[in-house]
Amino acid sequence: MESALKTATEAFEELRSLPSRALGDLYAPVRTDSPLNVILDQWYAAEDSVERCVALHSLAAEGLKRLEETDERRSRFARTEQSYTLGQIQNFDGTDFEALVAWLAYRDEMKVQRARGGKNDRGADVIAETPDGRRVVAQCKHSSKGSKHTVTSTNVQTFNGTARPEHQADIPVMVTNGTFSEPAREFARDHAIHLIGSQELERWATWGDSLYEVVGVPVPSPASPSD
């Protein structure tokens, strides 16, 4: 208590001397270890903490609002005829699955150039072009086992060998209603191959997220209005 009283008294004396100091020697240095400076430093530190808390609260509120808006949009989309559940997709055959991927690209406002693979497709089942000219090349791996089916690293390596060299892919994508093994995911990360497994496919086909959101690539910029 005595120490606090002494500090407060010294601070008061420092404050009381400010007018005369300002009128007298305006540029006289103030001791950095003075009680007043200690209190001011503590005040500024507290003020900064409050400002940071307010900023973090604002960011959290904005993030929560965006999440709520996203959930509402997804819920609306899931009630439309454009939504396909994983259960429905599991009952597709390989050709239907390729057609679905092509349709999803079309839904995302891409120009579909190939909607089905074949004997000489060289690993490209679906080819599409984004509004800003990026080339999307997709290989589709459907299984009636659904999420119990695992796509291996060998499959991803084979696709990597043709996606860019043969098809000039800007966005090479492997799509399955199953899952990818961890070695497959590691290889894909090392070679910038985008993987869409059952979880990502649900976002794309069931909830209506765009391919750009699902695989984390830039959304095309809006076209500039013509003169």
Side-chain angles (χ1 to χ4, degrees), residues 28-29 32 35 51 56 63 73 84 87 89 92-93 108-109 116 118-119 122 127 133 136 140-141 166 175 212 214 226:
T32 58
E51 289 178 355
L56 288 173
R73 174 185 59 76
Y84 291 87
I89 295 171
F92 288 0
D93 61 20
D108 289 344
E109 300 183 348
R116 183 177 300 174
K119 276 187 177 181
R122 296 183 181 180
I127 299 176
V136 177
C140 306
K141 295 288 187 183
E166 293 287 339
V175 189
Y212 314 107
V214 172
S226 56

Side-chain angles (χ1 to χ4, degrees), residues 194-222:
H194 302 285
L195 302 183
I196 296 180
S198 58
Q199 292 184 350
E200 295 84 6
L201 182 61
E202 186 173 38
R203 288 182 56 193
W204 197 18
T206 308
W207 302 112
D209 291 357
S210 72
L211 175 68
Y212 314 107
E213 296 171 296
V214 172
V215 302
V217 296
V219 177
S221 302

Side-chain angles (χ1 to χ4, degrees), residues 20 25 45 59 115 119 125 152 161 169 175 190 198 222:
S20 59
D25 188 0
L59 287 174
K119 276 187 177 181
D125 297 316
T152 68
V175 189
D190 291 342
S198 58

